[in-house]
Each structure stands twice: as structure tokens, then as C-alpha cells.
Amino acid sequence: MTSIMPTQRLRGETTLVGDMQPVSASTSSIEQLDTPALLLDETRMSRNIARLRGGLAGLGVNLRPHLKTPKSLEIARRVMDGPAGPAAVSTLREAEQLAEGGVRDLLYAVGIAPGKLERVSALRRRGVELSVVVDSLDAAIAVAKQSRISRDPIPTLIEIDSDGHRAGVRRELAGQLVSIGRVLHDGGAQLRGVMTHAGESYACDSVEAIGAIAERERSEAVACAALLRDAGLPAPVVSVGSTPTAHFARDLSGVTEVRAGVFVFFDLVMAGLDVCTVDDIALSVLATVIGHQPDKGWIVVDAGWMAMSRDRGTASQKLDQGYGVVCDVDGVPYPDLIMARANQEQGILALRDGSAAQLPHLPIGSLVRVLPNHACPTAAQHDHYTVVQSGSREIVGQWSRFRGW
Amino acid sequence: MTSIMPTQRLRGETTLVGDMQPVSASTSSIEQLDTPALLLDETRMSRNIARLRGGLAGLGVNLRPHLKTPKSLEIARRVMDGPAGPAAVSTLREAEQLAEGGVRDLLYAVGIAPGKLERVSALRRRGVELSVVVDSLDAAIAVAKQSRISRDPIPTLIEIDSDGHRAGVRRELAGQLVSIGRVLHDGGAQLRGVMTHAGESYACDSVEAIGAIAERERSEAVACAALLRDAGLPAPVVSVGSTPTAHFARDLSGVTEVRAGVFVFFDLVMAGLDVCTVDDIALSVLATVIGHQPDKGWIVVDAGWMAMSRDRGTASQKLDQGYGVVCDVDGVPYPDLIMARANQEQGILALRDGSAAQLPHLPIGSLVRVLPNHACPTAAQHDHYTVVQSGSREIVGQWSRFRGW
């Protein structure tokens, strides 16, 4: 099951793209990797997955993992109910790649552009139960038309705006909601219900606040499904979710599935929200020390924003973590050491302002791991995961990532 | 010369990765592209290249273009003196890919990690005149050792810190500078001189301030080269550069080459510094309208931060451009319309705060182009450029990008 192509180059290997060899997983260590490299702690990931699955099972709701975070067939297989799904995706490219790997139940969870509908139909002709999302009459008309042209009723959810954060129909606009539903249902599409995403949960300052947003996410979605049903329209699916609300919802009555993505890895933004601890973060970037500026208290490494991404999600939280929290090669954080600044291929490590800690002794060539602000953009800077277990430097797998649209 | 693999998928094409077909460039339009897609206006790029080359020729200095921005062999060939170079790179992967394309004179312009030296030697054995950078005794010792082991004196520049912005030796530490030079020269490496990068120029608020930083960049580098020469060490190369200082240096006496990268495309950060105008920006992301939130004044498109990157470089400038300036499909900016917010695969277009402009009428399915804050990270989110000429929607090329380390 373990995909080992394309591989991370081992240090000293000099082959060019196109003739890279798989690493011999049983004999290699992360100390042999060329840096920067994206590391995945599988032990932590498995624990994170088990935690959310357990929580949702207790609430009697199914998980539809959002694969926009891992973008990996290997991880999909570890987080889905079974090899066929279900799962959510953020691009049709993800759907196509997962379909190649045997996944059959997919929700493309971004409002559909009419020009993408032929790709949707093509996937459906290949046996993929792919559903789409609309939040306007124009998009509904386009989906209905494509359903008729392709003689295939495309399953469609109506996006609900439960918190003013991005797209979707607000519950107060019941007439619009029902009109969209009717265009789909009467026009030849397969109206499946509603979906919403509580994006506002990322801005909470307590788990109580997250719990309140989770309840609003649930109640708005359930109410909108009821509006459709009251109008005589089908709405078997009520899909909600964000990683914070998925973990702190106390009641999911009326919800049929929860979507969440970043929970697989967690990150510093989630730790800042108290959704997880720093020790739960399964993703890190391995970097090598390449210089020092002792008068400034800086250690320079060969991972900059190209390896970390430009995401600075913790900048608006109580504890700004810079471009990431710096750990030793085994993943143990150094006290108060963060990546304070980043150039394209250089990261500048420094103690937090006001820290009484000592800068660690890290000679040139030393390895560190840097935990990311936001797992999704950091992972997207890399083509594959190098997989390790907690407390070990041994490479146990190389899993490739999807990319593009 | 035009590489057309891998291609951008045309809308409606349904092939999977691995069996994509090249587009028929003569008959296709950007209106047929799947979105989001990275567009390159070749007319503007050629003008930008001619401008800098002309300016540097007037100052009697050579250009060593930094290919960390374009990461493309096609663009390398348009910006270098000739097919063999010279050029600078930010990763060894770039060097390896360019070497495959025939480039022979390369500077790896990031402080070398000792573990990467075997890859450097391997490229040099293939006939690539690859030079490296150090700013410490430890790194110099490692380069000298590798030079002896490989029986190949590795050409090496000492990085100078001309503005306290990142790595490098400060001029005041003349003893350290000379010691590093001596370790290289006496130890078997090929000491070539000094290099510096005026990163502080990105924080200037006037072209006069950029000019002053350019002069400091020049004078510090020249002075450090003189310190080496005064100690009896060779320093034939004095390499400076950043896109702002390269455009506003008034005198480059003593400098032998200028490095610059982002000038090829320019971006909103450069426009905010008055290094270019918005109409010079050659790079944009093509996106499709997928929804509206009329009560909020929002237009939602299918390009979010995955397509734009998380870079918000203009946030610290006088005019915050959000995630980008929004133009019509032909590249003409709409008054005051910016991408105000971005989710992973959704961008929210809105008028600037306080604008008296009208939100344009952009029905679902409409195409827009979004100009980026920072060309380097935005381009890095994409695997290739779709090339057009100014004022035309016809696709004239598909150029692939390098990626990874």
C-alpha cells in the first residue's frame, strides 16, 4: 500500500528528476534527507484521527474527511471509513486523483463554476459518486442543465452561510433557498440537501466560543434543510464542519455528516485555539542550520517561506509563533525558539521577544524540525511526505501529494 | 524552444494526470482554460527584462538574473546573456534542472549546508561552473574539505551583511572575513570574492531611499572585497543585488555583477515601492466568478490562497492590496477592486474600504485576472505558466516551472 514514488532525495544522491530511486525505507534515517523536507509523524496522525472519529461516533455522526489538507491517497486510506470513501475535496484535481486510487464517494466542497461541470460529468461517468455545491440560482440552473445534457442527475448540496464568513445562502433568505432547491429538483439535478462551514470558528478565543459556533453551524444547517423539506423538496444530507467545531460540538442532532481536514495533522493555529496541544502536531519541516548571527541572536536555517509557506495564522492569536515553533531533530520543542523571519530559502530562528531562555547550541549542519502555523499551506509547498514514527528517526514511508487544479 | 509539457488542462478536458495532451497553442484562448491558472504576459516580461538590462548596461555591470522567481528554463533563456548563463539560483534543484537545459554558469546564492556539498560536486563534475556561498568559518572549512576530497576547487563567495537584514559577515568584522577567506584560499577552495543582498530595500518608502540603500550595498561589498585583497587574497567577483536596488543604483563602481529576480515579472510590492507601475506586472492568476454576497459587496471566485499564495507583502505598505488587484480578463484593473480575503480555494473580491467605485457586474462564470502581492510565492503555487501577449487572449505557450529542493 505504501507509495514510494516520487521519493525525497537522500543527501548525497545526485540523480536528476526522472531517474530518482526509491529510498530503502528499512535502512534510511531522516538524518540522510536533503533539507528542507516535509516530515509526517504517523503516530501522532493516527492518534489525531482516532480522537475525532471517536468523538463523532459518540455523537452518532459520520465523518467525511476533507482531503484538501493531506492531498494524499495514503492518508486518505487511513482517514476514510473505507477505501471508497466518503471524503470531501477542494479541487477537481483531487477528485480525479482520488478516483484513480479507487475512492468513489466524493463531495467537491467549493461552489461549482459552470465551466467545470463537464469534468464533473466525466468523473461521474467513470462511476464516481461525485456531488457538487451551489449557492445561487445561476449555478443551480447550470447544474440542472448539465444534468439534463448528460442524462445524469448530478447530486447537489446548497451551501448555507451560517456565520457571514464566506459563501452560502443565509437562512433569512428562505425564498432564495427554496428557489435554488426547486431549480435543482425540478430541473433534472439531484437535490441532496445542505452544507455549511463555520469558518468563523478559526477566530475564537475559547473552546466555549467554538462550542457556541458549532451549535450555530448545526442549527442553521438543520433549519435550512427543514425549509427545503417544508417546501416539499428532498434534503437527506445535512453536512457541516470545520476542525474546531468538529471537536467541540456537543450535539449534532439533525446533522448527517461532519467535514474536517486539518485535524489529521493539527498545527499551531489549532494549538492556539486549544483544539490540540503542540505535541499533537504531526507535520514538521526538517531544516539544516547554515549560519549564525550571534550579535542578533539568530540561527539561520535552509528552510524559508518556500518550505513553510507564507502563512502567519498565529499572528492574530494570543501567542504569535512567527513562521513556526522550532524543535530538535526528534521533535521536542526548544524553549521559546521560533522561526522569527523567513526569506525564500532562509529561515531566521530566534528566541521570542523577552524570553529568558538560552539560544540552543546548534552548529552548522545541525538538524531542526519546525512546526507550521497552518498545515494546509505548509504541506502544499511539498510534493511528498517523509513518514516517521514518534520518537524515531527511521523513515518508514514516502507518500506523494496531489497538486494543482 | 517552447516547452508545452506539462500542459494546463483546457476546460472540459477530462484526462487524468499522466495522459494530458498538449494544447494546440495556435487555436486556444485563455477563455478555454480551467481556472485558477497562472498567466504570464510575455510582452510585459520582455519590456521588464529590457528595462533592467538597459539600465545595467549604462552602468557597465553584468546581470546575473536570479532564477528563483521564474524557475523556468524558457524564461531563463529569455533573461540570461546566453543559453549557458550566467544565473543565480536559490536551490540545488533549480541548478540541476537548469543544468539539464544547458546552463553552465550558476551561483547557488544561499549559504551552503555542508550536507549539500556532494550534490554541488556532482554538478561540477558534469561541467557546470557552479559556485557557492559561505558566511562562517565552519562552512568555509567544509567547502575547503570537499574541494580537496573532490580534487576540484569549488568557487566560493563570502556573503556580506550590508544592512543587518539576514545572513552575512559585517564589514566591521574584518578579521573574521579575512579568516574565512584564508580558510577557503589556503584550504583548497577557489575564493572568488563577495556577494551581498540588500533585503532592506523592500522596506523603503521612496526611490531616493532605495538609491541610498543601493549605494550602501555597493560600498559595503566593494569595501569587503578590498579587505580580502589587502590581505593578499583573491576577490575578482563583487556580486550585489535586489530588484529595487538594481533599478535605482546610480553608481556601481567596483561591482562586477548584479543579481535580481522579481524584475522579470514585477508585482504589487514592487509597484508599492514605485520600482514599477501596476501596468508592468506580467504575472496574474486567472479566476472564475462562482458566487456573490450582494449584502456584503462580495464577489466570490475560484482562486484562493492556494492559487495566490499566503503572501500579503503589501499589508505593510501605504496601500494594502489585500491578496491582489483584480483586473478584467484582458488585464485592465477594475477601479478599487481587490481580493480582500482568501480561503484555500475561494477568493473574496470587494472594493477597498471607503471606495466610491461601483462593484463591477460579473455574473457567475465571468473571468477575472488577479495581480499578486509577490511574484515568487504566487508563481510557486503553480506548475506552469500559460503565456499570452498583451491585449490578446490567445495562448502562445505553456512553460513548466521547477519545484522542490
Side-chain angles (χ1 to χ4, degrees):
Chain A
M1 292 272 286
T2 300
S3 163
I4 52 171
M5 284 297 289
T7 62
Q8 172 71 27
R9 185 195 306 271
L10 290 185
R11 205 166 62 202
E13 277 193 285
T14 56
T15 52
L16 296 180
V17 172
D19 60 346
M20 289 192 293
Q21 299 300 310
V23 296
S24 171
S26 61
T27 59
S28 60
S29 155
I30 59 171
E31 292 164 290
Q32 298 167 266
L33 290 172
D34 256 347
T35 54
L38 184 67
L39 298 186
L40 171 58
D41 182 327
E42 192 185 11
T43 316
R44 291 183 179 187
M45 179 180 79
S46 299
R47 192 173 69 205
N48 296 340
I49 293 170
R51 176 183 162 198
L52 183 59
R53 293 197 74 91
L56 294 179
L59 293 167
V61 176
N62 295 324
L63 175 64
R64 182 183 287 274
H66 204 319
L67 301 179
K68 78 185 181 77
T69 307
K71 293 201 184 209
S72 150
L73 186 60
E74 294 297 333
I75 297 173
R77 287 173 174 158
R78 284 163 174 79
V79 68
M80 297 185 302
D81 288 346
V89 295
S90 68
T91 66
L92 289 179
R93 178 66 64 91
E94 291 164 47
E96 289 161 349
Q97 298 261 5
L98 291 163
E100 287 242 305
V103 184
R104 287 292 172 267
D105 179 356
L106 289 168
L107 168 65
Y108 171 46
V110 177
I112 187 78
K116 294 188 168 86
L117 282 164
E118 182 45 47
R119 276 173 80 186
V120 170
S121 290
L123 272 167
R124 291 185 51 77
R125 281 193 294 271
R126 295 176 55 214
V128 180
E129 183 64 3
L130 176 66
S131 50
V132 302
V133 168
V134 302
D135 74 349
S136 69
L137 277 173
D138 283 354
I141 290 166
V143 173
K145 183 179 171 192
Q146 179 71 17
S147 296
R148 295 192 302 273
I149 290 171
S150 62
R151 297 167 190 269
D152 167 36
I154 298 171
T156 309
L157 299 179
I158 303 174
E159 184 164 5
I160 304 303
D161 176 12
S162 59
D163 62 3
H165 195 72
R166 54 179 205 183
V169 182
R170 284 184 294 125
R171 173 160 60 137
E172 302 86 79
L173 302 177
Q176 188 187 347
L177 178 69
V178 171
S179 294
I180 293 169
R182 203 166 299 288
V183 162
L184 291 165
H185 185 64
D186 297 348
Q190 185 189 160
L191 176 60
R192 291 288 290 277
V194 298
M195 65 86 78
T196 191
H197 167 71
E200 203 61 24
S201 64
Y202 289 79
C204 287
D205 58 3
S206 71
V207 297
E208 290 71 27
I210 296 171
I213 285 184
E215 173 52 21
R216 188 172 66 188
E217 181 183 49
R218 183 202 71 81
S219 62
E220 293 289 306
V222 168
C224 287
L227 286 170
L228 291 172
R229 293 177 193 131
D230 291 347
L233 293 166
V237 173
V238 178
S239 178
V240 305
S242 73
T243 284
T245 56
H247 286 78
F248 293 101
R250 286 160 296 221
D251 170 30
L252 288 170
S253 308
V255 168
T256 63
E257 65 179 30
V258 167
R259 306 180 321 279
V262 80
F263 76 96
V264 173
F265 301 143
F266 282 132
D267 53 29
L268 293 169
V269 167
M270 288 297 129
L273 290 171
D274 291 331
V275 177
C276 69
T277 70
V278 169
D279 291 340
D280 292 325
I281 299 173
L283 208 63
S284 62
V285 173
L286 186 72
T288 301
V289 173
I290 58 170
H292 302 87
Q293 296 284 309
D295 54 328
K296 302 195 190 80
W298 288 357
I299 298 168
V300 184
V301 297
D302 67 352
W305 56 251
M306 189 64 82
M308 299 304 303
S309 91
R310 273 293 201 187
D311 197 285
R312 291 279 291 99
T314 60
S316 57
Q317 293 188 325
K318 279 167 281 188
L319 185 58
D320 184 342
Q321 304 280 26
Y323 282 88
V325 163
V326 183
C327 304
D328 67 18
V329 66
D330 295 312
V332 179
Y334 290 108
D336 285 340
L337 191 65
I338 61 172
M339 186 182 287
R341 298 168 66 168
N343 301 309
Q344 186 162 337
E345 296 292 350
Q346 286 180 322
I348 291 174
L349 314 185
L351 296 173
R352 292 176 204 292
D353 287 345
S355 169
Q358 285 277 7
L359 205 61
H361 177 64
L362 290 169
I364 284 176
S366 303
L367 292 172
V368 297
R369 290 197 206 184
V370 188
L371 305 176
N373 277 262
H374 187 174
C376 309
T378 299
Q381 300 300 103
H382 300 263
D383 285 332
H384 53 267
Y385 303 91
T386 296
V387 187
V388 295
Q389 304 288 347
S390 288
S392 166
R393 300 180 191 178
E394 185 190 334
I395 297 169
V396 298
Q398 301 271 10
W399 298 342
S400 59
R401 278 181 52 88
F402 316 143
R403 176 169 163 79
W405 293 270
Chain B
M1 292 276 285
T2 300
S3 164
I4 51 171
M5 284 299 287
T7 62
Q8 171 72 26
R9 186 195 305 269
L10 290 186
R11 205 166 65 203
E13 277 194 285
T14 56
T15 52
L16 295 181
V17 171
D19 60 347
M20 289 191 296
Q21 299 301 309
V23 295
S24 172
S26 62
T27 58
S28 59
S29 155
I30 58 171
E31 292 165 289
Q32 297 167 267
L33 291 172
D34 255 347
T35 54
L38 184 67
L39 298 186
L40 171 57
D41 182 327
E42 192 184 11
T43 315
R44 291 183 179 186
M45 179 180 79
S46 299
R47 193 173 68 204
N48 296 340
I49 294 170
R51 176 183 162 198
L52 184 60
R53 294 197 75 91
L56 294 179
L59 293 167
V61 175
N62 295 324
L63 174 65
R64 182 182 287 274
H66 203 320
L67 301 179
K68 79 184 181 77
T69 307
K71 293 203 184 207
S72 150
L73 185 60
E74 295 296 333
I75 297 173
R77 288 173 173 159
R78 283 163 174 79
V79 68
M80 297 185 302
D81 288 345
V89 295
S90 69
T91 66
L92 289 179
R93 179 66 64 91
E94 290 164 49
E96 289 160 349
Q97 298 261 5
L98 290 163
E100 288 241 305
V103 184
R104 285 294 171 266
D105 179 356
L106 289 168
L107 167 65
Y108 171 46
V110 177
I112 188 77
K116 293 187 168 86
L117 282 164
E118 182 45 46
R119 276 173 80 187
V120 170
S121 290
L123 272 167
R124 291 185 51 78
R125 281 194 294 272
R126 295 176 54 213
V128 180
E129 183 64 4
L130 176 65
S131 50
V132 302
V133 169
V134 303
D135 74 348
S136 69
L137 278 172
D138 283 353
I141 290 165
V143 173
K145 182 179 173 193
Q146 179 71 18
S147 295
R148 296 192 302 273
I149 291 171
S150 62
R151 299 169 190 269
D152 167 36
I154 298 171
T156 309
L157 299 179
I158 303 175
E159 184 163 6
I160 305 303
D161 176 12
S162 58
D163 62 3
H165 195 72
R166 55 176 206 188
V169 183
R170 284 184 295 125
R171 173 160 60 138
E172 302 85 77
L173 302 177
Q176 187 187 346
L177 178 68
V178 170
S179 294
I180 293 170
R182 206 169 297 287
V183 163
L184 291 165
H185 185 65
D186 298 349
Q190 182 189 161
L191 176 60
R192 291 288 291 278
V194 299
M195 65 87 77
T196 192
H197 167 72
E200 202 62 23
S201 63
Y202 290 79
C204 288
D205 58 4
S206 71
V207 298
E208 290 71 28
I210 296 171
I213 285 184
E215 173 51 22
R216 187 172 67 189
E217 182 183 50
R218 183 201 72 81
S219 62
E220 293 289 307
V222 169
C224 288
L227 286 170
L228 292 172
R229 292 176 194 133
D230 290 348
L233 293 166
V237 173
V238 179
S239 177
V240 305
S242 74
T243 284
T245 56
H247 286 79
F248 292 102
R250 284 160 298 218
D251 169 30
L252 289 170
S253 308
V255 169
T256 64
E257 64 177 32
V258 168
R259 306 179 321 280
V262 80
F263 75 97
V264 173
F265 301 144
F266 283 130
D267 53 30
L268 293 169
V269 167
M270 288 297 129
L273 290 171
D274 292 330
V275 177
C276 68
T277 69
V278 169
D279 291 339
D280 292 324
I281 299 172
L283 208 64
S284 62
V285 172
L286 186 73
T288 301
V289 173
I290 59 171
H292 302 87
Q293 296 282 311
D295 54 328
K296 302 194 191 78
W298 289 357
I299 299 168
V300 183
V301 298
D302 67 352
W305 56 251
M306 189 64 81
M308 298 304 303
S309 92
R310 273 292 201 188
D311 196 284
R312 291 279 291 102
T314 60
S316 57
Q317 293 189 325
K318 279 166 284 189
L319 184 59
D320 184 341
Q321 305 280 26
Y323 281 89
V325 163
V326 183
C327 306
D328 67 19
V329 65
D330 295 312
V332 179
Y334 289 109
D336 285 339
L337 190 66
I338 61 173
M339 185 182 285
R341 299 167 67 166
N343 301 310
Q344 185 161 336
E345 298 291 351
Q346 286 181 321
I348 292 174
L349 314 186
L351 297 173
R352 293 175 202 292
D353 286 345
S355 169
Q358 285 277 7
L359 205 62
H361 177 64
L362 289 169
I364 283 177
S366 304
L367 292 172
V368 296
R369 291 197 205 182
V370 188
L371 305 176
N373 276 262
H374 187 174
C376 309
T378 299
Q381 300 299 104
H382 301 263
D383 285 333
H384 53 269
Y385 303 92
T386 296
V387 186
V388 295
Q389 304 289 347
S390 288
S392 166
R393 300 179 190 178
E394 185 190 334
I395 298 169
V396 297
Q398 300 272 11
W399 298 343
S400 59
R401 278 181 53 90
F402 316 143
R403 177 170 161 78
W405 294 269

